[in-house]
Amino acid sequence: QQAVQQHVGNHRTPATKWYMKIKPTEMQSSSNNQIKPKVLPQELIRRHRRIAFLGIMHDNLSRGFVNILKDDPSHRWEQVYILFPSDECLKNHLAKNYRDQSVENLIYNKQECRKTLEKLLSQVVQDLRFLQYDQLMHCGSYWDWKDPGGFIHISPLTWGANPKTCPAMNYYWNSRVPSPEYRVYNDGLEYLLETATPFDEIVSLEDGASDTIREDQMQ
């Protein structure tokens, strides 16, 4: 007897497709109901081979790489791009978000973070770039963003708030083609990579900067 075919599903786009492609980052609160600074999940650094970080200080970034290389010294990455704001961008736009630090301290810390990251990653990343940009629209990180399965983390800045405590959103490429929102942020990064300048020269500040981060504190 011939079996009767039954339809158990379809290939139509689900009505909730937007929810599967976009997800807010869950923020943690302290005992006094203050938002805790965001922490980069170490597993993301281990899992992805091509990463771009668009941020300000990147002072917590080295810790994740240190822990992964400690567990697996042979671990390698194909591509890591780290973008910092220029000194002028820090002076003119971002200093107000760091009320407890002077502009001089911010610039010094930025330079120290770059030196630490270069020392850590220069032998384990095939394509390592340090870049500076003049116009900050948001912070973010990009994870294998050119391929299906990748995702983009975007953290818009909030007026007067520390960037580490600003709410964020994740955009996923989990379909045949990326969503329009995903493509917008992907194109934004490509624009930055074309217009950003190399962050190669480390300028020594004549005045000693107080309350700066030390290399052992970053690791």
Side-chain angles (χ1 to χ4, degrees), residues 157-168:
L157 296 184
T158 302
W159 304 275
N162 188 307
K164 293 181 180 181
T165 62
C166 293

Side-chain angles (χ1 to χ4, degrees), residues 6 35 53 70 88 90 115 125 133 153 197:
Q6 294 182 343
I35 292 180
F53 298 102
K70 182 179 180 181
E88 290 301 316
L90 281 173
K115 288 192 292 186
V125 178
Y133 53 87
H153 170 85
T197 58

Side-chain angles (χ1 to χ4, degrees), residues 187-212:
D187 293 345
L189 177 62
E190 295 304 319
Y191 172 82
L192 267 184
L193 294 177
E194 292 177 0
T195 58
T197 58
F199 182 19
D200 294 329
E201 184 178 358
I202 303 298
V203 180
S204 299
L205 299 180
E206 294 182 358
D207 298 329
S210 60
D211 298 326
T212 54

